[in-house]
Amino acid sequence: MEIVTRIARMRHLAPRLKQDRKKLALVPTMSALHEGHLSLIRRAQILADAVVVSIFFNPIHFQAGEEFDVPARDLARDAELMAKRGVDVLFAPSVDEIYPEDMLTYVTTDTLDCRLCGAQQPNYFRGVTTIVNKLINIVRPDYTLVGQKDAQQSIIIRRMVRDLSMDTEVFICPTHREPDGLVTSSRNALLSAEERQAATALYRGLQQAQKLVERNGVRDAETLIGAVRQVLDLEPLVRPEYIALVDMENLAPLTAIAEGGEGLLAVAAYVGQVRLTDNIILVGSTG
Amino acid sequence: MEIVTRIARMRHLAPRLKQDRKKLALVPTMSALHEGHLSLIRRAQILADAVVVSIFFNPIHFQAGEEFDVPARDLARDAELMAKRGVDVLFAPSVDEIYPEDMLTYVTTDTLDCRLCGAQQPNYFRGVTTIVNKLINIVRPDYTLVGQKDAQQSIIIRRMVRDLSMDTEVFICPTHREPDGLVTSSRNALLSAEERQAATALYRGLQQAQKLVERNGVRDAETLIGAVRQVLDLEPLVRPEYIALVDMENLAPLTAIAEGGEGLLAVAAYVGQVRLTDNIILVGSTG
C-alpha cells in the first residue's frame, strides 16, 4: 500500500490504477478508522479492482465553537489497519495541500444542506460537498462509497454527483452496528459506561417505529416520530436534537410514508456531551 | 463533425477522442458564434488533437427581468461554421438535458462573483461556474479555453478549476476585436450606426490608460480610471456602469499597479440599451 500526501502524486497514480479497464473505488473518511469504515472498504474491494481510502479531517466542515468531537488522528494506526486489509492507496493530504490559502470556491446543495443536521451547523454540508467534490476530481474513482450512517451526507453527495454530472457512481452502504445495535462510531469512545448503555435508545427507538410500520401498517409521521420519542424519553441521559421522517431524495419532511414508498427516519441526540445520530429507511406497506 | 445533444453520448465519445494520449480541448460558448469564438477554436486546434465546442445558453445565469441580450440561437448556422473549421464535436444539449428539474447543487466562488459585473447580477457567476463545472465533468477536456473578453468569468473559472482540483488546464485567450478596436460580440449587432461609433470609446479609453502606463509610468488607479472616464464622457451615448482597476487573481480593487505587477483595467457601459464590456491587462513599469 502506498501512502500519498500530495495531490500531484495521487493524480499520477489514479489513471495507473484504472489501466486495462480496471475499476477504482474511493472511500472518503475523516480518520480514526473503525469497523464501520472497514465494512465500506470490504464493499469497495468487492465492487472494484483497486481501492483508494482518503483520510482528511476537513476544517471547513466546522466553525469556531461548534460542538463536534474531533476524532484523534492516528495515521500510523489507520495505515496499518488498511494495509492489512489490502487497500491499494491511502490518500492522506494535509490541510495546506488541499486548501489554497485563498480558497474561494465552494459546492453547495441548496435546501438539502440546511435540513436535519444542517439546521444547527450552517456550513457543515457545504464543507462536505466541497471536499468530496475535490477528492473525486483528484482520484477520479468509478465508484464512491459512503455510509448510510451519515444519511444526509450520503444523500447530498449522491445529489451533487448527479447535478454536476460527475463521472462516478455513488454507493450508499448499510450502517455498521455494535452487537447491541448502536451505530459504530469513533465518538462512542467518548461515552461513559452509563451513557453507552443509554445510547442504545436511538436504535431501539427506530426499531420501535419499524415494528409499527411492518406489523401495524403505520405510515404517518406523527405516530412514527412519537414512537421514537417515547423510547428516548425513558433515558434521562438522552436529549433529542431532532427526530424526523423525511423524503429520501430531498430530505423534506413527510407527513406520511407513501404506500410502497420510502421514508428516512432520522434521529440526532446528545447523550451526555456526545452528539450521536442514527437512521433507518422505512418502506410503507401497501395493505 | 458530430452534433451531440445527450450527456451520455458525450461521455461515451470523450474518452475515445482522448485515446492514444491524444489531447482534448473544450471551448464553451453560449451560441451565436462569431469571429471571437472562432479565434478560440483556432487556438484550441493548435493546442489539442481534438476540439469539442459546447453551445449552451444557460438559464441559471439570468434572473427574471435582467437586462441581458440573449443572442438568437441558430444551431444550424453555428454547426455549419464549426464543421467548416474542423471542430470534432459540437455539444449542444437542451436545458432539460443539463438541469434536472430538482437541481440543487451550485458551485460558487465567494467574493469574486460579486465584484465588477457581479455587483449588478448577483447570480450570474454562480450560473457560470456551475455550468462550466458540469461541462468539464462531462467532456473531461485536457484544456479549457475561455476568452479574456469576459475577464471576470475567465478568472473565476480558472480559480474554480484550481480550488476544486479539476483536471483541466484553463487558457485565457486574447480578446478578438473589430478593425476599429471594439470587442467582437454578438451584442454589437444590436447597436445603431451611431451607437456602434460611440461604442469604440470603451477601447479608446482603455488605450489612453495604457499609454499613460507605458509612456508616463503611471501606476495609480485614480489617474488610470480617470483617463478612461474622460474618453467615455465625450460620448453622450455611453453611460458607464463601472471603470475599475483590479487584481488579476482576486479581482479586488487596486489603488495602484505594483512595480512590474499586473492590473486588470475593466469597463462596463451601456451604449444606448446595449451593455458592453471591455478590459486590458496593464503591467506596471519598474522605472
Side-chain angles (χ1 to χ4, degrees):
Chain A
M1 185 184 76
E2 180 168 342
I3 301 177
V4 176
T5 58
R6 294 288 178 193
I7 292 172
R9 175 67 185 163
M10 190 64 245
R11 260 201 206 302
H12 173 83
L13 273 181
R16 278 154 190 79
L17 295 168
K18 292 171 76 171
Q19 253 168 5
D20 307 321
R21 299 177 177 245
K22 280 191 191 133
K23 296 297 186 187
L24 178 62
L26 169 66
V27 180
T29 81
M30 295 219 299
S31 97
L33 290 199
H34 52 60
E35 276 302 322
H37 300 117
L38 296 178
S39 80
L40 284 175
I41 291 170
R42 278 192 296 275
R43 282 171 187 272
Q45 289 171 325
I46 292 167
L47 271 172
D49 304 290
V51 174
V52 174
V53 176
S54 64
I55 296 188
F56 183 68
F57 184 76
N58 192 20
I60 67 167
H61 276 43
F62 305 104
Q63 292 183 306
E66 275 185 10
E67 284 190 77
F68 270 86
D69 310 306
V70 178
R73 185 161 173 167
D74 185 347
L75 191 62
R77 173 190 157 275
D78 290 345
E80 200 185 311
L81 262 173
M82 284 194 281
K84 264 190 206 157
R85 306 296 176 121
V87 167
D88 298 271
V89 175
L90 165 56
F91 181 44
S94 68
V95 170
D96 290 348
E97 177 73 3
I98 286 292
Y99 295 121
E101 210 181 321
D102 52 353
M103 171 93 176
L104 291 173
T105 309
Y106 296 96
V107 182
T108 56
T109 49
D110 282 4
T111 65
L112 289 193
D113 54 9
C114 50
R115 292 198 165 121
L116 303 178
C117 295
Q120 300 301 318
Q121 299 115 21
N123 285 320
Y124 184 83
F125 289 106
R126 184 180 88 150
V128 170
T129 40
T130 301
I131 184 61
V132 175
N133 186 290
K134 185 153 178 155
L135 289 170
I136 291 172
N137 287 339
I138 295 167
V139 178
R140 301 204 156 201
D142 299 285
Y143 313 121
T144 302
L145 287 87
V146 289
Q148 193 201 312
K149 162 181 182 287
D150 305 305
Q152 182 172 14
Q153 174 170 306
S154 299
I155 287 167
I156 285 177
I157 290 171
R158 189 175 63 188
R159 175 64 72 114
M160 169 184 75
V161 163
R162 187 205 69 167
D163 282 355
L164 296 179
S165 296
M166 301 184 79
D167 196 11
T168 191
E169 198 174 341
V170 176
F171 286 84
I172 301 181
C173 304
T175 302
H176 191 275
R177 296 179 183 280
E178 301 302 309
D180 60 3
L182 181 68
V183 175
T184 304
S185 163
S186 50
R187 291 195 212 147
N188 296 351
L190 303 169
L191 298 165
S192 70
E194 209 180 355
E195 288 165 351
R196 175 68 186 73
Q197 174 54 35
T200 60
L202 275 72
Y203 189 51
R204 283 187 281 118
L206 294 173
Q207 282 180 304
Q208 193 57 37
Q210 187 155 30
K211 267 186 211 159
L212 291 176
V213 170
E214 289 174 359
R215 297 188 191 167
N216 305 56
V218 171
R219 292 191 285 107
D220 76 285
E222 208 181 315
T223 311
L224 295 171
I225 290 169
V228 181
R229 188 172 301 279
Q230 217 176 4
V231 176
L232 296 187
D233 281 351
L234 294 174
E235 294 288 350
L237 293 175
V238 176
R239 285 171 297 125
E241 180 184 302
Y242 66 76
I243 308 167
L245 181 72
V246 298
D247 182 90
M248 288 286 294
E249 294 300 320
N250 61 24
L251 302 174
L254 295 175
T255 53
I257 307 170
E259 277 189 38
E262 288 183 330
L264 181 75
L265 187 60
V267 56
Y270 281 87
V271 182
Q273 297 305 307
V274 184
R275 188 175 178 278
L276 298 176
T277 59
D278 200 349
N279 69 83
I280 55 172
I281 298 168
L282 297 174
V283 180
S285 63
T286 51
Chain B
M1 184 185 76
E2 179 167 344
I3 301 178
V4 176
T5 58
R6 294 288 179 193
I7 291 172
R9 174 68 185 159
M10 189 66 245
R11 259 200 208 302
H12 174 80
L13 272 180
R16 278 154 190 77
L17 294 168
K18 292 172 76 172
Q19 252 167 6
D20 307 321
R21 299 179 176 242
K22 279 191 191 133
K23 296 297 186 186
L24 179 61
L26 169 66
V27 180
T29 82
M30 294 218 301
S31 97
L33 290 200
H34 52 58
E35 277 301 322
H37 300 116
L38 297 178
S39 79
L40 284 175
I41 292 170
R42 278 191 296 275
R43 281 172 186 273
Q45 288 171 325
I46 292 167
L47 272 173
D49 304 290
V51 174
V52 174
V53 176
S54 65
I55 295 189
F56 183 68
F57 184 75
N58 192 20
I60 66 166
H61 276 43
F62 306 105
Q63 290 184 307
E66 276 187 12
E67 284 189 76
F68 270 85
D69 310 306
V70 179
R73 185 160 171 167
D74 184 346
L75 191 61
R77 172 190 157 277
D78 290 345
E80 202 186 308
L81 260 173
M82 282 193 282
K84 265 191 205 158
R85 307 294 176 121
V87 167
D88 299 271
V89 175
L90 167 54
F91 181 45
S94 67
V95 170
D96 290 349
E97 177 72 4
I98 287 291
Y99 295 119
E101 212 181 319
D102 52 354
M103 170 93 176
L104 291 174
T105 309
Y106 295 95
V107 182
T108 57
T109 48
D110 282 5
T111 65
L112 288 193
D113 55 7
C114 51
R115 293 200 164 120
L116 303 178
C117 295
Q120 300 300 317
Q121 298 115 23
N123 284 321
Y124 184 83
F125 289 106
R126 186 180 86 150
V128 169
T129 39
T130 302
I131 183 61
V132 174
N133 186 290
K134 185 153 177 154
L135 289 169
I136 291 173
N137 287 339
I138 295 166
V139 177
R140 299 204 157 199
D142 299 285
Y143 312 120
T144 302
L145 287 87
V146 290
Q148 194 202 313
K149 164 182 181 286
D150 306 304
Q152 182 172 12
Q153 175 170 305
S154 299
I155 288 168
I156 285 175
I157 290 171
R158 188 176 60 186
R159 174 65 72 118
M160 168 185 75
V161 164
R162 187 205 69 168
D163 282 356
L164 296 178
S165 296
M166 302 185 77
D167 195 11
T168 190
E169 196 174 341
V170 176
F171 286 84
I172 301 182
C173 304
T175 303
H176 191 275
R177 296 179 183 280
E178 301 302 310
D180 61 2
L182 181 68
V183 175
T184 303
S185 163
S186 51
R187 292 194 211 149
N188 297 350
L190 303 169
L191 297 165
S192 70
E194 209 181 356
E195 287 164 352
R196 174 69 185 73
Q197 175 53 37
T200 60
L202 276 70
Y203 190 49
R204 283 188 281 118
L206 294 174
Q207 282 180 304
Q208 193 57 39
Q210 186 155 32
K211 266 186 212 159
L212 289 177
V213 170
E214 289 174 0
R215 296 188 192 168
N216 304 56
V218 172
R219 291 189 285 109
D220 77 285
E222 207 180 319
T223 310
L224 296 170
I225 290 168
V228 181
R229 188 172 301 279
Q230 218 176 5
V231 175
L232 296 186
D233 281 352
L234 293 173
E235 295 287 350
L237 294 175
V238 176
R239 285 172 297 125
E241 181 184 303
Y242 66 75
I243 307 167
L245 181 72
V246 298
D247 182 271
M248 289 285 296
E249 294 300 319
N250 61 25
L251 301 173
L254 295 176
T255 53
I257 308 170
E259 277 189 40
E262 288 183 330
L264 181 76
L265 187 61
V267 55
Y270 281 89
V271 182
Q273 297 304 309
V274 184
R275 188 175 178 279
L276 298 176
T277 58
D278 201 349
N279 68 84
I280 55 172
I281 298 168
L282 297 174
V283 180
S285 62
T286 50

